[in-house]
């Protein structure tokens, strides 16, 4: 499960996103910076069963990125590399410099 909240950073007009990721199976939570998130099940390359992927978008002072992380790997034959973590830049034009991600759907 994931809970997302936002707040304004004093003095900068930047909107900070905060996420709390919670695992029911492990009964632990983790805090991350991010504005929008979603889970998705799919077979990653080389897998024989679906994996659970956690995706989130974050816009920080350094830029905006889309992250994809395999949180529950599916079965893979021996020798198939893990999915790992992936990230891609999100472009915001200069006239939308104050914008930030608000929702994600897969």
């Amino acid at each position: 499960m994931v809970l997302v909240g936002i707040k304004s950073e004093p003095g900068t007009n930047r909107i900070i996103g905060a996420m709390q990721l919670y695992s029911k199976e492990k009964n632990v939570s983790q805090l991350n910076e991010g504005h929008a998130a979603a889970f998705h099940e799919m077979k990653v390359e080389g897998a024989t069963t679906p994996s659970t992927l956690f995706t989130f978008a974050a816009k920080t002072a350094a830029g905006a990125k889309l992250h994809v992380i395999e949180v529950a790997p599916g079965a893979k034959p021996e020798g198939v590399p893990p999915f790992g973590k992936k990230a891609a830049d999100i472009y915001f034009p200069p006239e939308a410099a104050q914008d930030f991600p608000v929702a994600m759907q897969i």
Side-chain angles (χ1 to χ4, degrees):
M1 295 186 285
V2 64
L3 176 66
V4 180
I6 59 173
K7 70 176 185 174
S8 178
E9 184 177 54
T12 65
N13 290 331
R14 193 169 78 85
I15 301 296
I16 298 172
M19 301 183 310
Q20 182 175 2
L21 185 62
Y22 178 73
S23 169
K24 291 191 295 186
E25 292 81 22
K26 297 176 183 175
N27 194 31
V28 296
S29 64
Q30 178 181 346
L31 299 176
N32 288 318
E33 187 172 359
H35 292 85
F39 290 93
H40 183 67
E41 278 197 11
M42 68 173 275
K43 266 194 205 178
V44 298
E45 188 175 339
T48 56
T49 62
S51 297
T52 300
L53 303 178
F54 175 60
T55 61
F56 68 98
K59 187 174 182 190
T60 65
K65 288 202 178 284
L66 172 67
H67 300 270
V68 182
I69 302 168
E70 186 178 32
V71 292
K76 296 181 181 94
E78 191 173 321
V80 173
F83 179 82
K85 299 177 182 181
K86 313 276 191 253
D89 291 335
I90 302 173
Y91 173 72
F92 286 92
E95 63 271 11
Q98 297 301 317
D99 285 0
F100 57 92
V102 294
M104 185 177 295
Q105 183 176 353
I106 301 172

